[in-house]
Amino acid sequence: MDPLEVAQELLDAMLGYLGFAATVTTDASSLTLHVASHDGKLLIGPRGERLEEMTHLVNRLLLTRLPEAPRVHVDVENYLASRDYRMIEEAEEVAARVIATGRSLKLEPMNSYQRRLIHNHFKDHPSVRTWSPEDSARLKRISIAPRV
């Protein structure tokens, strides 16, 4: 069984039980389920919280059916792509301030997916470096500092 197809069936059933009219399509290259719905704002929730919860639930259900399944992403009305773009733009602005002032700055708290996105974006940057604290908190703040 294809894990992405199973995840698509799970999400489609979940949305149907909740009363949402939606179309779920898959993107195998990025392991993403794309949701198109007139209720997009309701599915995304404030600051994407409902979308994160839905993604978490789909992945938990998927792992109960297929223990070796990879993690899938759920995106509603291309919200993730635009949020990722905005997040990188904001981090670039902070990096520019770090370069100008020579002082470290911290970004807003982020989940692991968001932190990985920012760390990967700056991994080869010639002027700044990034790091996250080594604790067990779910949301952590990335620090951006000048490269020495």
Side-chain angles (χ1 to χ4, degrees), residues 126-146:
S127 303
V128 298
R129 61 188 176 90
T130 62
W131 79 91
S132 298
E134 296 290 331
D135 60 23
S136 62
R138 189 177 79 80
L139 297 177
K140 298 178 188 177
R141 295 176 66 156
I142 290 179
S143 294
I144 299 180

Side-chain angles (χ1 to χ4, degrees), residues 98-109:
V98 166
I99 292 167
T101 65
R103 294 188 359 228
S104 298
L105 293 172
K106 288 184 178 181
L107 300 175
E108 293 298 314

